[in-house]
Amino acid sequence: MSRQKNSLKPWNTFSLEAAAANITVAENAEQLCLSWQLSQRQNEPTLLLGEGSNVLFIEDFSGQVIINRLKGIEIQEHNDAWLLHVGAGENWHQLVELTLNEGVPGLENLALIPGCAGSAPIQNIGAYGVELEQVCAYVDVINLADGHIQRLTSEQCLFGYRDSIFKHQYRDSFAIVALGLRLSKAWKPVLSYGDLKELDPQTVTPRQIFDAVCHMRRSKLPDPRVTGNAGSFFKNPLVSAEAATELQKNYPTIPLYPQETGDVKLAAGWLIDRCELKGFSQGGAAVHEKQALVLINSENATGKDIVDLARIVRQRVAAKFNVWLEPEVRFIAANGEINAVEALA
Ligand code: FAD
Ligand code: EPU
């Protein structure tokens, strides 16, 4: 366990200059609990972080940030599947690469998503037609108050679109310590999304899907090592079938994704783009030129710049389409997470 200097800049992919009272890197479950319990005794707030790729620090954090670096990957081969047990602090993309190198397919559509493996269940990461829940076997969570570890099955995680139990019932006082994945030997390529449709399902290999996904992502998403960002800033909104039909009358090219529930998902990036906001800036923050759903730290932005820009984007989209976007990114204030929608109201 090591105590770091208190700048959060290296610990958030927006590269925002924020500070914490202190930063602790935890390498095992015991260190996680001890650090958290120390803060409890001192009555200071705590925040768990993986790689900080889905957080927005709107100001300095007044307490302790605990960075999860619990490592270890075990792969077990069974008759019908490979079972992986992964420490929560492992890097997600490196895990995807490792499995492919070991001849274990199934994670290729989720390549290049930043962050830790243990953070993947929190918002049920998804891309290019696959969501984590399709491969998740279990999640191990620790009760930070008493160190008790509990295993939740995939069903118990209550996965939804960018949602899970870890944003609700298990949000406070719990930390994810490990992730179990089940990758079936009956591998079937998922080629339903974007340019993947052009690949031949009879001959395609997991590696080709991995390469195609990496290529598509690199062509539109900014690399956080170069330009600060947290991926999609807002979630894609769900509207009723009637509302979608109404929008389609006025905007015949609007992308619509009908859901099993009868609701229709809209592409927030398309809505923002049609408000002609690509490249629009506010202070040091801007709407990304190649993907309007991504807000970037273009020039030494502050957290407040990003919030101000997000508020304008949200209001413009509502004024034009009567749809209110909700942030995907988690807003962190001095004492912990705050309600992002309220912060933008
Ligand atoms: P962090 O940002 O560190 O934490 C996220 C939240 O989880 C915080 O509230 C934190 O307090 C909490 N937390 C962190 N660790 C733990 C733990 N061990 N136990 C309990 N709570 C914890 N997401 C997608 O779904 N699909 C994409 O295609 C995608 N593309 C992206 C592209 C870019 C360029 C970027 C920057 C982000 C993208 N994201 C995407 C978002 C992000 O990568 C994911 O949300 C990722 O899972 C976050 O991991 P992290 O370790 O950085 O989490
Ligand atoms: N679009 C535009 N203009 C833009 C951006 C998008 O017209 O500036 C249109 C596209 O042409 C396409 C549609 O909107 O018709 C959807 O765009 P894209 O395929 O780029 O995906 P997205 O809906 O913007 C979602 C996820 C991403 C994930 C991709 C690929 C959310 C909030 N975002 O983005 O996840 O990588 O699909 O599956 O669901 C993230 O969560 O951080 C993230 C990057």
Side-chain angles (χ1 to χ4, degrees):
M1 178 159 59
S2 59
R3 293 234 158 189
Q4 309 280 316
K5 278 189 267 165
N6 64 357
S7 168
L8 288 167
K9 192 171 179 180
W11 303 107
N12 77 100
T13 61
F14 260 123
S15 285
L16 294 171
E17 283 285 7
N22 50 65
I23 300 173
T24 306
V25 177
E27 286 167 9
N28 57 49
E30 194 188 354
Q31 291 175 359
L32 264 184
C33 289
L34 288 175
S35 313
W36 186 87
Q37 289 163 7
L38 180 68
S39 289
Q40 290 297 110
R41 285 198 295 278
Q42 294 174 347
N43 247 327
E44 67 172 3
T46 45
L47 176 74
L48 285 167
L49 272 192
E51 295 185 6
S53 66
N54 213 28
V55 289
L56 172 67
F57 288 106
I58 64 170
E59 57 193 352
D60 287 344
F61 184 69
S62 68
Q64 178 180 210
V65 170
I66 306 175
I67 313 277
N68 183 318
R69 285 296 174 270
L70 276 63
K71 299 285 189 171
I73 300 176
E74 290 157 37
I75 304 183
Q76 274 180 15
E77 186 169 356
H78 293 250
N79 284 344
D80 56 346
W82 290 275
L83 292 187
L84 278 65
H85 181 86
V86 185
E90 290 285 348
N91 174 272
W92 175 260
H93 178 70
Q94 283 171 10
L95 174 71
V96 175
E97 282 188 313
L98 179 130
T99 53
L100 285 184
N101 290 340
E102 295 286 323
V104 177
L107 299 181
E108 55 284 344
N109 295 60
L110 299 174
L112 270 193
I113 299 181
C116 289
S119 310
I122 297 170
Q123 70 159 9
N124 184 20
I125 59 166
Y128 296 95
V130 174
E131 287 184 308
L132 182 88
E133 65 175 304
Q134 290 160 249
V135 288
C136 178
Y138 60 81
V139 177
D140 288 347
V141 279
I142 193 164
N143 182 334
L144 293 161
D146 61 15
H148 176 72
I149 293 180
Q150 186 184 349
R151 177 159 293 184
L152 301 184
T153 63
S154 187
E155 289 71 36
Q156 288 172 321
C157 292
L158 304 179
F159 288 122
Y161 166 63
R162 298 294 187 266
D163 201 23
S164 75
I165 200 165
F166 307 106
K167 285 188 171 183
H168 306 281
Q169 193 184 328
Y170 284 84
R171 194 188 68 162
D172 302 313
S173 320
F174 292 91
I176 294 173
V177 289
L179 169 66
L181 298 173
R182 182 183 184 280
L183 300 175
S184 171
K185 288 191 174 173
W187 176 75
K188 281 200 207 84
V190 179
L191 304 174
S192 53
Y193 199 97
D195 294 356
L196 295 181
K197 289 190 182 123
E198 287 159 25
L199 298 171
D200 179 353
Q202 302 306 322
T203 59
V204 74
T205 64
R207 175 69 59 181
Q208 284 167 337
I209 297 175
F210 173 89
D211 288 342
V213 167
C214 290
H215 182 263
M216 279 187 281
R217 295 182 67 96
R218 288 198 173 106
S219 68
K220 51 186 167 190
L221 293 170
D223 180 348
R225 287 169 302 187
V226 181
T227 306
N229 78 93
S232 299
F233 193 87
F234 297 98
K235 292 188 247 188
N236 284 332
L238 281 174
V239 299
S240 65
E242 296 76 43
T245 309
E246 200 54 38
L247 281 166
Q248 203 173 27
K249 272 192 212 148
N250 297 326
Y251 305 97
T253 61
I254 188 170
L256 299 177
Y257 308 100
Q259 306 293 297
E260 281 171 7
T261 54
D263 287 342
V264 178
K265 200 189 269 181
L266 307 177
W270 188 93
L271 301 175
I272 299 168
D273 198 355
R274 288 310 168 279
C275 293
E276 299 188 349
L277 284 167
K278 269 187 180 158
F280 178 85
S281 66
Q282 174 72 22
V287 177
H288 188 48
E289 291 277 5
K290 294 186 192 154
Q291 225 295 5
L293 190 47
V294 178
L295 304 188
I296 58 169
N297 174 357
S298 53
E299 239 185 279
N300 299 321
T302 60
K304 186 175 173 302
D305 290 341
I306 310 260
V307 171
D308 290 345
L309 175 65
R311 187 178 295 118
I312 294 170
V313 167
R314 190 166 179 266
Q315 283 169 353
R316 293 271 185 95
V317 168
K320 192 172 170 76
F321 298 105
N322 194 25
V323 172
W324 287 97
L325 299 178
E326 286 184 20
E328 172 188 302
V329 172
R330 317 279 296 264
F331 285 29
I332 313 295
N335 293 323
E337 183 169 14
I338 57 164
N339 183 303
V341 169
E342 283 170 17
L344 297 185

